[in-house]
Amino acid sequence: MIAAIKPAGSRTRGLLAYLYGPGRHDEHFDPHIVAAFAMLGMPDPGRDENATLTELARHLDEPVQLRNSEFGRPVTDHVWHCAVRAAPEDRQLSDAEWGEIAGRIVHAVGIAPEGDDLACRWIAVRHADDHIHILATTVREDGRRPKLHNNGIRVGDACREIERDYGLRQLKKGDGTGSRRPTQAEIHKADRLGWEQTSQQWLEDRIRAAIPHVTDTEELLTYLDADGVEVKPRRGPSGDLLGYAVGRPGDENDKGEQIYRAGGKIAPDLSLPKLRARLEAATFEEHPTARRTRHTTPWHQATDALDTLHVELAGATGDESGRDERAQAHIAALGELIEATAQHAPTNLRIELQSASREFARAQRSQIRAEGRAADTVRLAARDIIHTATGSDGSALAALLAAMVWAAILAQRWHEAKNHAHQSDAARRALDHLQTAADQALVPVLADLDRRLPREQARRTLACDVRAAVPDHAERILADENWPALAAVLADAEAGGHEPHQLLKEAAEQRELDTARRPARVLITRIQHTGRNPVRISQAEAARIRSTRSISAASTTASVQKRPPEPVTAPERGSRPRR
């Protein structure tokens, strides 16, 4: 059940005309009062042909007019309006049930506490099966005004109790960090103008897409202006930026004037103070490319940065001081990295990554304040991708997306541990999109590996490495359809001087395999990333390794004949020799 409190108004008669009218799209039918402050003698234009809207408005406004005459000046914004809607899958409620619900809401908000004979006047009008509208005039019978601060939170809490008591769909309690839902007027306006998104949603996407490109709030406004967004900064006498508002071109009011929205009204984390703390926390003295080695691309750099995030989030449920603040900072930075990757990913992955970025935006913010400098490494990696990425190395991008999947899993777990219901759901939805993108990115990598599989004898030797390094998951890995491709990756790493056993062990420690749907795929991306740099060894050492591995292969072949065959075998194909 969703309750939407509308902006306060001053025209009781005008709001009644809407509630009893046909609606903007002829969606109103049989409007009538289901509850009121006093049902006896209440004029109801929907059921009494002699009752008029003017008479009903005058009846509701009597305390307001009395106060106006006593104080000598009119009361402004005295019309309180709240729409209460049931979920589509909920059962149809009767008029009596809707009346009880309306009474509980005006009691919770303080408009008409139960048993208070001097409370405000109000009515609840039903003109559709699934919702009602509550109209109240916020002047009490004794002339005082009710205290309506935090009325949205109080109404939300009442709705959660009503859902439980009436057996309706139970929504999660809000925490004040969510974006405002688009109003029906905004949705209809977008439809009328042929826009796929409302202005608020369009502006939020533009601001979040700009964040990885800039280092401070002045740069952000300049970037938005260049991106086609109408920008209206608010500055002090010294020229310092005090606030900002943005508008969508073509979004105008009835007078033809551009409509602007403050950043904090678009989303809580897009206000100027929060953006300033977020953007100006990281240091940019050293250009990102200066940190790279010969075999490191922006995609590899981002994967290395996520290793730090994985460690931070995996241990964030402890009691160490500041851990929650650091974890929140890393989750916010992860959102920037997903957005940056979406902007530079290949076209076939971009839609899924953009959807993941949009969903993860809700998981980026909670009531825990982020520690500013905690996630500099991840933020710098996002800017590195934005400013220096020129093309996507298939295996490097696949490794980054696999690391993002694990990061999203850890973020969801952290939010669950902190009872952040909305953020946990958002992380889960983003995870679905990230997993799809990771699977798509791995397709060409697997195709390349399938063209150069190691021979059967080499795979049997590598299978022993798997059983020794990850004994708890060895059978799942060897039964995975991508085990031959993993064997090819291990063979390539060994040719570069790495020990397959050690690479497998390190990969399993960095990413648990219990939650992996396809453990071989997880190990492929991880080992390709960590084993990309060849190990420099002498010719004598290389000869010793070859000799040792040959003896091991011979003994392995003998032992294999005494035990059942491997769960999955692949036909021999010509490939680069492993020895």
Side-chain angles (χ1 to χ4, degrees):
M1 178 169 287
I2 296 176
I5 299 175
K6 311 297 183 180
S10 301
R11 297 177 59 248
T12 306
R13 172 66 170 74
L15 180 55
L16 288 172
Y18 167 73
L19 298 181
Y20 279 93
R24 295 185 177 91
H25 301 277
D26 296 325
E27 70 273 22
H28 298 174
F29 61 92
D30 188 24
H32 59 280
I33 295 175
V34 295
F37 71 98
M39 291 294 288
L40 187 62
M42 177 67 63
D44 184 0
R47 293 295 169 86
D48 184 356
E49 60 182 12
N50 296 320
T52 64
L53 296 178
T54 302
E55 179 187 6
L56 178 57
R58 189 181 297 117
H59 193 53
L60 293 170
D61 280 340
E62 281 182 3
V64 179
Q65 299 302 327
L66 182 60
R67 179 186 169 99
N68 289 346
S69 62
E70 289 181 353
F71 282 82
R73 61 178 183 274
V75 176
T76 59
D77 297 337
H78 66 277
V79 180
W80 187 84
H81 177 205
C82 177
V84 186
R85 185 180 299 273
E89 62 269 27
D90 286 339
R91 62 183 176 84
Q92 185 171 324
L93 300 171
S94 65
D95 282 356
E97 289 174 318
W98 275 120
E100 293 170 358
I101 290 171
R104 293 177 63 164
I105 289 177
V106 294
H107 166 77
V109 82
I111 286 176
E114 187 175 353
D116 187 351
D117 296 333
L118 300 178
C120 300
R121 297 189 175 188
W122 62 275
I123 60 171
V125 177
R126 181 180 187 181
H127 55 209
D129 291 335
D130 61 347
H131 72 277
I132 60 171
H133 291 260
I134 303 173
L135 183 157
T137 51
T138 56
V139 175
R140 292 167 49 88
E141 298 287 353
D142 56 11
R144 294 185 293 120
R145 303 293 300 273
K147 296 180 180 180
L148 300 179
H149 63 283
N150 293 332
N151 64 106
I153 296 176
R154 286 183 278 172
V155 170
D157 292 343
C159 286
R160 303 295 82 78
E161 294 179 2
I162 290 168
E163 291 163 356
R164 183 176 61 254
D165 294 343
Y166 285 80
L168 307 177
R169 175 188 174 187
Q170 297 222 332
L171 302 181
K172 296 175 177 62
K173 184 178 179 180
D175 60 359
T177 63
S179 301
R180 179 181 64 82
R181 292 177 177 272
T183 64
Q184 289 294 322
E186 291 172 336
I187 294 174
H188 292 322
K189 184 176 185 178
D191 291 340
R192 186 173 67 252
L193 296 176
W195 293 341
E196 294 182 359
Q197 296 175 295
T198 64
S199 293
Q200 176 182 325
Q201 295 167 331
W202 186 87
L203 290 169
E204 181 176 357
D205 283 354
R206 290 299 184 281
I207 296 174
R208 295 197 187 281
I211 288 174
H213 291 261
V214 300
T215 59
D216 58 43
T217 50
E218 292 287 358
E219 276 190 38
L220 175 66
L221 298 187
T222 302
Y223 185 93
L224 290 174
D225 182 65
D227 195 33
V229 178
E230 299 291 340
V231 179
K232 185 179 181 181
R234 180 168 60 86
R235 300 185 182 276
S238 62
D240 293 339
L241 186 63
L242 303 179
Y244 80 102
V246 289
R248 182 178 188 174
D251 186 13
E252 301 174 345
N253 58 19
D254 296 338
K255 299 179 181 178
E257 300 169 338
Q258 175 67 52
I259 296 176
Y260 289 94
R261 291 172 170 80
K265 297 295 184 182
I266 296 173
D269 61 331
L270 299 183
S271 64
L272 181 66
K274 291 185 178 180
L275 280 174
R276 181 171 286 152
R278 180 174 176 178
L279 291 172
E280 299 174 5
T283 55
F284 299 91
E285 289 84 0
E286 180 186 9
H287 195 272
T289 55
R291 303 188 305 275
R292 295 209 220 111
T293 63
R294 183 167 59 91
H295 297 282
T296 300
T297 67
W299 314 105
H300 288 126
Q301 190 77 19
T303 306
D304 291 337
L306 286 181
D307 288 344
T308 305
L309 181 147
H310 295 158
V311 173
E312 191 68 45
L313 291 184
T317 54
D319 298 329
E320 180 185 336
S321 176
R323 268 190 170 177
D324 286 347
E325 290 77 8
R326 294 198 301 272
Q328 179 60 54
H330 277 89
I331 290 175
L334 174 59
E336 295 180 25
L337 182 59
I338 295 173
E339 175 61 38
T341 305
Q343 294 182 28
H344 281 265
T347 306
N348 64 314
L349 305 178
R350 197 164 297 167
I351 294 177
E352 289 294 342
L353 289 174
Q354 287 173 343
S355 299
S357 177
R358 191 173 293 113
E359 294 289 359
F360 199 79
R362 183 65 183 91
Q364 285 181 257
R365 54 186 184 268
S366 72
Q367 291 182 329
I368 296 175
R369 185 173 182 177
E371 181 183 321
R373 298 290 300 276
D376 281 4
T377 305
V378 180
R379 285 200 168 93
L380 288 172
R383 284 157 178 75
D384 196 1
I385 289 175
I386 287 293
H387 295 297
T388 64
T390 56
S392 59
D393 177 357
S395 61
L397 179 57
L400 174 58
L401 295 182
M404 282 184 180
V405 168
W406 179 229
I409 292 174
L410 292 174
Q412 182 185 6
R413 289 180 181 176
W414 183 78
H415 281 307
E416 286 178 349
K418 300 301 173 183
N419 295 320
H420 300 163
H422 296 281
Q423 291 86 343
S424 176
D425 281 351
R428 177 185 50 77
R429 294 192 300 270
L431 176 61
D432 292 338
H433 293 290
L434 286 174
Q435 187 65 68
T436 301
D439 289 341
Q440 293 174 353
L442 199 56
V443 170
V445 177
L446 293 174
D448 178 63
L449 292 172
D450 286 341
R451 287 192 293 269
R452 48 190 181 85
L453 299 178
R455 296 181 181 278
E456 182 69 23
Q457 182 177 350
R459 289 208 300 273
R460 289 175 178 171
T461 303
L462 292 169
C464 293
D465 290 322
V466 172
R467 290 191 174 94
V470 282
D472 294 339
H473 302 281
E475 298 311 315
R476 287 181 62 214
I477 294 170
L478 297 175
D480 194 318
E481 64 178 354
N482 298 125
W483 154 241
L486 174 58
V489 171
L490 292 171
D492 290 345
E494 188 183 26
H498 293 276
E499 283 288 344
H501 174 274
Q502 186 63 27
L503 288 177
L504 285 164
K505 191 173 181 180
E506 290 176 359
E509 289 174 351
Q510 291 170 334
R511 202 287 199 204
E512 71 173 45
L513 300 178
D514 292 330
T515 56
R517 296 180 304 167
R518 297 178 177 178
R521 287 194 172 196
V522 171
L523 293 173
I524 285 171
T525 56
R526 190 72 229 178
I527 292 173
Q528 278 191 325
H529 175 70
T530 56
R532 68 188 183 278
N533 296 324
V535 178
R536 293 185 178 181
I537 55 177
S538 64
Q539 292 183 355
E541 179 68 12
R544 187 190 67 78
I545 292 175
R546 286 195 298 269
S547 175
T548 303
R549 298 294 288 179
S550 297
I551 295 172
S552 174
S555 60
T556 300
T557 302
S559 62
V560 165
Q561 294 175 354
K562 300 179 182 180
R563 63 173 182 261
E566 294 293 331
V568 175
T569 59
E572 284 194 22
R573 301 187 187 181
S575 65
R576 183 175 55 191
R578 182 166 171 270
R579 298 287 172 261

